Amino acid sequence: MKELYVIATSNPGKVREFANLLDSNFYETKSLSDIDFHEKIEETGSSFEENAAIKANAICNFLEKKGIVATVIADDSGLEVEALNGAPGIYSARYAGDQASDQENYELLLSRLKGNLDREARFVCVLCIQKTKEAPRFFEGECKGDIIETPKGSEGFGYDPVFIPKGYDRTFAEMTLAEKKALSHRGQAIKKMIEALKLSPN
Ligand code: IMP
């Protein structure tokens, strides 16, 4: 029987990204809507790791009550800007307010960095992988880069139009998904997890 993996997100893009990396001959991948989980998980942690663990734990408890044995993969990510002492960090998704759009978030970031010559930043992603009743394991990926002054590109999401990874001259929003995945914090964390757990990619 195939081993069941639940990806703790309702973002179909993220589920596809993970499913694509887990060999479908051995693993079955489900999203939160596939398992009928529709509650909002409050991210009350003070680090990416804590928030990823909170998400993984909530889903593990839900599966346990239903008697389903599975491995849960949760992730938490964000942007840390050096000149802003690591902000927006764990608040990246709601930097300009709870309902803020991606554009409102990056415009606030640009206004707070206006005139500042220090543009160093990094994206961080922490994955938490937890099997029902077992201890969680964590994998972290990062991508260093700079914040530009004027947004460029229309691909991707979040802060992609204002972030240029080190060694490149295009923003994440000007790259293809494959290019971004090879460099990104999420791609790095997934790679570490696959190597450590010997989950063979397709
Ligand atoms: P979460 O991991 O889905 O909670 O994402 C947190 C927030 O960080 C997102 O809403 C984005 O604002 C930002 N973020 C995380 N990863 C990326 C990325 O790859 N590109 C741009 N923004 C990102």
Side-chain angles (χ1 to χ4, degrees), residues 65-105:
K65 275 190 210 139
K66 290 196 152 195
I68 300 171
V69 176
T71 303
V72 175
I73 300 178
D75 83 330
D76 198 49
S77 55
L79 178 72
E80 292 183 342
V81 179
E82 209 155 284
L84 302 176
N85 297 317
I90 56 167
Y91 303 107
S92 295
R94 47 198 152 114
Y95 192 39
D98 273 346
Q99 307 301 324
S101 66
D102 285 347
Q103 188 174 343
E104 286 166 336
N105 284 331

Side-chain angles (χ1 to χ4, degrees), residues 24-173:
S24 56
N25 291 316
F26 299 99
Y27 308 108
E28 184 185 2
T29 317
K30 288 194 173 178
S31 69
L32 293 186
S33 36
D34 292 334
I35 60 163
D36 269 329
F37 184 94
H38 303 289
E39 292 154 42
K40 181 167 168 35
I41 304 171
E42 295 297 339
E43 295 181 25
T44 53
S46 55
S47 63
F48 294 115
E49 193 169 300
E50 275 179 32
N51 281 336
I54 287 170
K55 292 182 214 174
N57 203 263
I59 307 306
C60 275
N61 289 340
F62 175 83
L63 292 170
E64 212 174 321
K65 275 190 210 139
K66 290 196 152 195
I68 300 171
V69 176
T71 303
V72 175
I73 300 178
D75 83 330
D76 198 49
S77 55
L79 178 72
E80 292 183 342
V81 179
E82 209 155 284
L84 302 176
N85 297 317
I90 56 167
Y91 303 107
S92 295
R94 47 198 152 114
Y95 192 39
D98 273 346
Q99 307 301 324
S101 66
D102 285 347
Q103 188 174 343
E104 286 166 336
N105 284 331
Y106 70 64
E107 277 176 355
L108 177 62
L109 180 76
L110 294 181
S111 74
R112 296 214 166 139
L113 278 178
K114 207 171 169 73
N116 202 321
L117 295 180
D118 179 4
R119 316 293 296 189
E120 303 246 328
R122 68 170 196 146
F123 273 121
V124 184
C125 171
V126 175
L127 294 182
C128 175
I129 180 159
Q130 186 170 13
K131 204 169 180 165
T132 332
K133 293 199 171 107
E134 284 183 14
R137 293 187 63 179
F138 297 91
F139 300 94
E140 181 172 329
E142 71 161 4
C143 179
K144 289 187 175 164
D146 291 288
I147 305 299
I148 54 170
E149 287 177 8
T150 312
K152 277 192 205 157
S154 53
E155 299 297 318
F157 70 101
Y159 299 85
D160 281 349
V162 298
F163 182 87
I164 296 189
K166 288 276 181 222
Y168 290 79
D169 58 5
R170 285 172 299 143
T171 66
F172 266 167

